[in-house]
mmCIF file with all atom_site columns, all heavy atoms in Angstrom:
data_model
loop_
_atom_site.group_PDB
_atom_site.id
_atom_site.type_symbol
_atom_site.label_atom_id
_atom_site.label_alt_id
_atom_site.label_comp_id
_atom_site.label_asym_id
_atom_site.label_entity_id
_atom_site.label_seq_id
_atom_site.pdbx_PDB_ins_code
_atom_site.Cartn_x
_atom_site.Cartn_y
_atom_site.Cartn_z
_atom_site.occupancy
_atom_site.B_iso_or_equiv
_atom_site.pdbx_formal_charge
_atom_site.auth_seq_id
_atom_site.auth_comp_id
_atom_site.auth_asym_id
_atom_site.auth_atom_id
_atom_site.pdbx_PDB_model_num
ATOM 1  N N   . LEU A 1 131 ? -32.188 13.022 32.814 1.00 0.00 ? 131 LEU A N   1
ATOM 2  C CA  . LEU A 1 131 ? -31.145 12.030 32.390 1.00 0.00 ? 131 LEU A CA  1
ATOM 3  C C   . LEU A 1 131 ? -30.726 12.292 31.065 1.00 0.00 ? 131 LEU A C   1
ATOM 4  O O   . LEU A 1 131 ? -29.435 12.196 30.822 1.00 0.00 ? 131 LEU A O   1
ATOM 5  C CB  . LEU A 1 131 ? -31.716 10.608 32.432 1.00 0.00 ? 131 LEU A CB  1
ATOM 6  C CG  . LEU A 1 131 ? -32.070 10.096 33.844 1.00 0.00 ? 131 LEU A CG  1
ATOM 7  C CD1 . LEU A 1 131 ? -32.873 8.788  33.824 1.00 0.00 ? 131 LEU A CD1 1
ATOM 8  C CD2 . LEU A 1 131 ? -30.809 9.806  34.600 1.00 0.00 ? 131 LEU A CD2 1
ATOM 9  N N   . VAL A 1 132 ? -31.471 12.702 30.131 1.00 0.00 ? 132 VAL A N   1
ATOM 10 C CA  . VAL A 1 132 ? -31.037 13.037 28.766 1.00 0.00 ? 132 VAL A CA  1
ATOM 11 C C   . VAL A 1 132 ? -30.158 14.309 28.778 1.00 0.00 ? 132 VAL A C   1
ATOM 12 O O   . VAL A 1 132 ? -29.202 14.390 28.086 1.00 0.00 ? 132 VAL A O   1
ATOM 13 C CB  . VAL A 1 132 ? -32.303 13.230 27.861 1.00 0.00 ? 132 VAL A CB  1
ATOM 14 C CG1 . VAL A 1 132 ? -31.785 13.868 26.508 1.00 0.00 ? 132 VAL A CG1 1
ATOM 15 C CG2 . VAL A 1 132 ? -33.022 11.893 27.651 1.00 0.00 ? 132 VAL A CG2 1
ATOM 16 N N   . GLY A 1 133 ? -30.465 15.274 29.712 1.00 0.00 ? 133 GLY A N   1
ATOM 17 C CA  . GLY A 1 133 ? -29.662 16.378 29.927 1.00 0.00 ? 133 GLY A CA  1
ATOM 18 C C   . GLY A 1 133 ? -28.293 16.011 30.420 1.00 0.00 ? 133 GLY A C   1
ATOM 19 O O   . GLY A 1 133 ? -27.203 16.583 29.959 1.00 0.00 ? 133 GLY A O   1
ATOM 20 N N   . ILE A 1 134 ? -28.163 15.066 31.320 1.00 0.00 ? 134 ILE A N   1
ATOM 21 C CA  . ILE A 1 134 ? -26.874 14.605 31.814 1.00 0.00 ? 134 ILE A CA  1
ATOM 22 C C   . ILE A 1 134 ? -26.042 14.012 30.674 1.00 0.00 ? 134 ILE A C   1
ATOM 23 O O   . ILE A 1 134 ? -24.940 14.275 30.489 1.00 0.00 ? 134 ILE A O   1
ATOM 24 C CB  . ILE A 1 134 ? -27.069 13.491 32.939 1.00 0.00 ? 134 ILE A CB  1
ATOM 25 C CG1 . ILE A 1 134 ? -27.639 14.289 34.223 1.00 0.00 ? 134 ILE A CG1 1
ATOM 26 C CG2 . ILE A 1 134 ? -25.749 12.890 33.308 1.00 0.00 ? 134 ILE A CG2 1
ATOM 27 C CD1 . ILE A 1 134 ? -28.050 13.323 35.293 1.00 0.00 ? 134 ILE A CD1 1
ATOM 28 N N   . ASN A 1 135 ? -26.781 13.210 29.877 1.00 0.00 ? 135 ASN A N   1
ATOM 29 C CA  . ASN A 1 135 ? -26.052 12.638 28.668 1.00 0.00 ? 135 ASN A CA  1
ATOM 30 C C   . ASN A 1 135 ? -25.505 13.737 27.829 1.00 0.00 ? 135 ASN A C   1
ATOM 31 O O   . ASN A 1 135 ? -24.328 13.574 27.257 1.00 0.00 ? 135 ASN A O   1
ATOM 32 C CB  . ASN A 1 135 ? -27.115 11.709 27.932 1.00 0.00 ? 135 ASN A CB  1
ATOM 33 C CG  . ASN A 1 135 ? -26.550 11.323 26.686 1.00 0.00 ? 135 ASN A CG  1
ATOM 34 O OD1 . ASN A 1 135 ? -26.750 11.875 25.572 1.00 0.00 ? 135 ASN A OD1 1
ATOM 35 N ND2 . ASN A 1 135 ? -25.934 10.124 26.552 1.00 0.00 ? 135 ASN A ND2 1
ATOM 36 N N   . SER A 1 136 ? -26.376 14.771 27.465 1.00 0.00 ? 136 SER A N   1
ATOM 37 C CA  . SER A 1 136 ? -25.897 15.787 26.645 1.00 0.00 ? 136 SER A CA  1
ATOM 38 C C   . SER A 1 136 ? -24.698 16.516 27.255 1.00 0.00 ? 136 SER A C   1
ATOM 39 O O   . SER A 1 136 ? -23.743 16.987 26.570 1.00 0.00 ? 136 SER A O   1
ATOM 40 C CB  . SER A 1 136 ? -27.004 16.698 26.281 1.00 0.00 ? 136 SER A CB  1
ATOM 41 O OG  . SER A 1 136 ? -28.014 16.068 25.612 1.00 0.00 ? 136 SER A OG  1
ATOM 42 N N   . GLY A 1 137 ? -24.808 16.880 28.559 1.00 0.00 ? 137 GLY A N   1
ATOM 43 C CA  . GLY A 1 137 ? -23.827 17.606 29.222 1.00 0.00 ? 137 GLY A CA  1
ATOM 44 C C   . GLY A 1 137 ? -22.482 16.872 29.168 1.00 0.00 ? 137 GLY A C   1
ATOM 45 O O   . GLY A 1 137 ? -21.392 17.506 28.990 1.00 0.00 ? 137 GLY A O   1
ATOM 46 N N   . ILE A 1 138 ? -22.376 15.576 29.366 1.00 0.00 ? 138 ILE A N   1
ATOM 47 C CA  . ILE A 1 138 ? -21.173 14.885 29.234 1.00 0.00 ? 138 ILE A CA  1
ATOM 48 C C   . ILE A 1 138 ? -20.593 14.789 27.820 1.00 0.00 ? 138 ILE A C   1
ATOM 49 O O   . ILE A 1 138 ? -19.481 15.055 27.653 1.00 0.00 ? 138 ILE A O   1
ATOM 50 C CB  . ILE A 1 138 ? -21.433 13.314 29.779 1.00 0.00 ? 138 ILE A CB  1
ATOM 51 C CG1 . ILE A 1 138 ? -21.726 13.312 31.312 1.00 0.00 ? 138 ILE A CG1 1
ATOM 52 C CG2 . ILE A 1 138 ? -20.241 12.462 29.475 1.00 0.00 ? 138 ILE A CG2 1
ATOM 53 C CD1 . ILE A 1 138 ? -22.264 11.949 31.782 1.00 0.00 ? 138 ILE A CD1 1
ATOM 54 N N   . SER A 1 139 ? -21.457 14.561 26.883 1.00 0.00 ? 139 SER A N   1
ATOM 55 C CA  . SER A 1 139 ? -21.031 14.400 25.521 1.00 0.00 ? 139 SER A CA  1
ATOM 56 C C   . SER A 1 139 ? -20.513 15.715 24.912 1.00 0.00 ? 139 SER A C   1
ATOM 57 O O   . SER A 1 139 ? -19.527 15.776 24.285 1.00 0.00 ? 139 SER A O   1
ATOM 58 C CB  . SER A 1 139 ? -22.093 13.872 24.615 1.00 0.00 ? 139 SER A CB  1
ATOM 59 O OG  . SER A 1 139 ? -23.172 14.753 24.568 1.00 0.00 ? 139 SER A OG  1
ATOM 60 N N   . MET A 1 140 ? -21.149 16.854 25.357 1.00 0.00 ? 140 MET A N   1
ATOM 61 C CA  . MET A 1 140 ? -20.710 18.150 24.877 1.00 0.00 ? 140 MET A CA  1
ATOM 62 C C   . MET A 1 140 ? -19.315 18.524 25.411 1.00 0.00 ? 140 MET A C   1
ATOM 63 O O   . MET A 1 140 ? -18.626 19.380 24.778 1.00 0.00 ? 140 MET A O   1
ATOM 64 C CB  . MET A 1 140 ? -21.787 19.256 25.367 1.00 0.00 ? 140 MET A CB  1
ATOM 65 C CG  . MET A 1 140 ? -23.074 19.156 24.650 1.00 0.00 ? 140 MET A CG  1
ATOM 66 S SD  . MET A 1 140 ? -23.025 19.749 22.947 1.00 0.00 ? 140 MET A SD  1
ATOM 67 C CE  . MET A 1 140 ? -22.989 21.498 23.185 1.00 0.00 ? 140 MET A CE  1
ATOM 68 N N   . ASN A 1 141 ? -18.857 17.930 26.469 1.00 0.00 ? 141 ASN A N   1
ATOM 69 C CA  . ASN A 1 141 ? -17.552 18.201 27.004 1.00 0.00 ? 141 ASN A CA  1
ATOM 70 C C   . ASN A 1 141 ? -16.540 17.213 26.537 1.00 0.00 ? 141 ASN A C   1
ATOM 71 O O   . ASN A 1 141 ? -15.416 17.534 26.189 1.00 0.00 ? 141 ASN A O   1
ATOM 72 C CB  . ASN A 1 141 ? -17.602 18.180 28.589 1.00 0.00 ? 141 ASN A CB  1
ATOM 73 C CG  . ASN A 1 141 ? -18.176 19.503 29.155 1.00 0.00 ? 141 ASN A CG  1
ATOM 74 O OD1 . ASN A 1 141 ? -18.706 20.239 28.501 1.00 0.00 ? 141 ASN A OD1 1
ATOM 75 N ND2 . ASN A 1 141 ? -17.956 19.709 30.412 1.00 0.00 ? 141 ASN A ND2 1
ATOM 76 N N   . VAL A 1 142 ? -16.847 15.910 26.584 1.00 0.00 ? 142 VAL A N   1
ATOM 77 C CA  . VAL A 1 142 ? -15.913 14.832 26.370 1.00 0.00 ? 142 VAL A CA  1
ATOM 78 C C   . VAL A 1 142 ? -15.571 14.687 24.891 1.00 0.00 ? 142 VAL A C   1
ATOM 79 O O   . VAL A 1 142 ? -14.466 14.483 24.506 1.00 0.00 ? 142 VAL A O   1
ATOM 80 C CB  . VAL A 1 142 ? -16.360 13.545 26.978 1.00 0.00 ? 142 VAL A CB  1
ATOM 81 C CG1 . VAL A 1 142 ? -15.369 12.455 26.689 1.00 0.00 ? 142 VAL A CG1 1
ATOM 82 C CG2 . VAL A 1 142 ? -16.565 13.666 28.502 1.00 0.00 ? 142 VAL A CG2 1
#
Side-chain angles (χ1 to χ4, degrees):
L131 290 170
V132 171
I134 293 173
N135 171 269
S136 297
I138 293 173
S139 63
M140 291 286 284
N141 280 13
V142 178

